[in-house]
Amino acid sequence: THFLTVNYTGSSTPPSMNDLIDIPDESDPLRTTYGNPHLKNMWQHTLSLWWNHYNERRQRTLTLQPSFSQSFRQIVHRLTYDPLTGTQSLRPENAGGHWATQLNALWSQPITPQGNLILTVSSDNSYTRQISLLASDLQSSLRHTMATGERGGLLSQTLKADLRLSEQWDFSLRTRHTLQHSMPGRVSGHPTLTCHLAILQANATWHAPWHMDVTTESALRMRRGYEESQYNTTEWLCNATLSQSLLPSRKLSLGLRQ
């Protein structure tokens, strides 16, 4: 069985009242915020596709979801810096160049004849580009404005196995690796980072005959690639959950998590 859905969305967002009112906000002596009564509405276009294939005989599912969005006349705040006085000013302006793309995929299929062991593989990937404006007052009569592009990508891959040994016991093992790559604007002063997050998680659930579920969860989380060493951590997490269903219809339940 195949399903294909194509969706397009166009939206318009007006500027906020604070951005339109041209009254300086000088509450901070080192940073003045201005409005811009000439701002125009922002337009965003999004095109997405959803494709699904299901094999009934093998109970196999395959799903693909690509999408792309682009913004026109995006409202960004231009930062103007005066190196002589050290003061800054912010003013909203319309700018182009904002876009984002995304691709998600999922594959799932039982790998035993009994169907009690299910393997699932998912992939979530995205890439974005945003524009920021930076201006510098080199002289009282000369102003230089630079548009900087901030780009970032996210890749997340997950492998999960679910095993049902009996009506009372369920087990699952999940591993995920996430890579995040950020490239700030060339004048932002921030370095380019490639950060990794790896997770290994195991769950076990016991379904008691008196409608009680006991779940244990253990996870190992490792983060690497951050500029500050305090964020490059390795953590062990252990949780336990106890839930009891009440009433004949089992619509009421009480739970305890530790």
Side-chain angles (χ1 to χ4, degrees), residues 75-103:
I75 298 177
V76 299
H77 287 79
R78 185 184 65 180
L79 175 63
T80 303
Y81 174 71
D82 189 343
L84 298 179
T85 62
T87 58
Q88 300 176 352
S89 64
L90 290 174
R91 187 174 187 270
E93 293 187 3
N94 292 112
H98 294 254
W99 58 269
T101 183
Q102 188 172 355
L103 175 62

Side-chain angles (χ1 to χ4, degrees), residues 193-204:
L193 294 178
T194 301
C195 303
H196 300 265
L197 172 62
I199 299 177
L200 179 62
Q201 179 178 327
N203 292 53

Side-chain angles (χ1 to χ4, degrees), residues 1 10 12-13 36 47 53 55 60-61 65-66 96 113 121 137 162-163 167 170 181-182 198 223 242 258:
T1 305
S12 175
T13 304
N36 185 357
L47 180 64
H53 169 69
N55 188 313
R60 180 176 58 199
T61 300
Q65 293 179 279
V121 180
D137 282 331
D162 295 299
L163 174 64
E167 293 295 330
D170 288 329
H181 183 70
S182 61
R223 298 193 299 182
L242 176 67
Q258 178 63 41

Side-chain angles (χ1 to χ4, degrees), residues 167-169 206-214 242-248 250 252-254:
E167 293 295 330
Q168 286 76 36
W169 286 99
W206 176 53
H207 306 283
W210 52 88
H211 307 310
M212 175 183 289
D213 293 339
V214 181
L242 176 67
S243 63
Q244 175 66 57
S245 299
L246 305 175
L247 303 180
R250 302 179 63 180
L252 178 63
S253 63
L254 297 178

Side-chain angles (χ1 to χ4, degrees), residues 29-193:
L30 296 179
R31 173 174 290 194
T32 304
T33 303
Y34 297 88
N36 185 357
H38 304 291
L39 289 175
K40 299 179 181 179
N41 290 1
M42 181 199 73
W43 280 92
Q44 183 174 13
H45 304 273
T46 302
L47 180 64
S48 60
L49 182 146
W50 182 80
W51 177 77
N52 177 265
H53 169 69
Y54 179 69
N55 188 313
E56 186 174 0
R57 183 174 65 88
R58 297 185 177 181
Q59 298 183 2
R60 180 176 58 199
T61 300
L62 177 61
T63 303
L64 293 176
Q65 293 179 279
S67 65
F68 178 81
S69 63
Q70 186 171 10
S71 300
F72 297 90
R73 298 201 298 255
Q74 177 82 24
I75 298 177
V76 299
H77 287 79
R78 185 184 65 180
L79 175 63
T80 303
Y81 174 71
D82 189 343
L84 298 179
T85 62
T87 58
Q88 300 176 352
S89 64
L90 290 174
R91 187 174 187 270
E93 293 187 3
N94 292 112
H98 294 254
W99 58 269
T101 183
Q102 188 172 355
L103 175 62
N104 300 329
L106 183 142
W107 176 88
S108 179
Q109 178 179 335
I111 58 176
T112 56
Q114 299 82 5
N116 61 337
L117 179 58
I118 301 175
L119 188 65
T120 303
V121 180
S122 62
S123 176
D124 301 309
N125 312 278
S126 62
Y127 188 85
T128 59
R129 184 179 188 269
Q130 295 182 340
I131 293 295
S132 59
L133 299 178
L134 178 65
S136 177
D137 282 331
L138 303 179
Q139 299 175 0
S140 59
S141 60
L142 177 62
R143 172 171 294 176
H144 177 69
T145 302
M146 181 178 295
T148 63
E150 300 177 1
R151 293 168 290 172
L154 180 67
L155 306 177
S156 181
Q157 320 303 324
T158 303
L159 175 63
K160 182 180 179 183
D162 295 299
L163 174 64
R164 165 156 283 198
L165 286 181
S166 63
E167 293 295 330
Q168 286 76 36
W169 286 99
D170 288 329
F171 297 91
S172 69
L173 180 65
R174 182 173 70 98
T175 177
R176 185 179 70 181
H177 177 260
T178 301
L179 184 148
Q180 186 173 4
H181 183 70
S182 61
M183 300 178 60
R186 58 184 182 273
V187 295
S188 66
H190 299 289
T192 298
L193 294 178

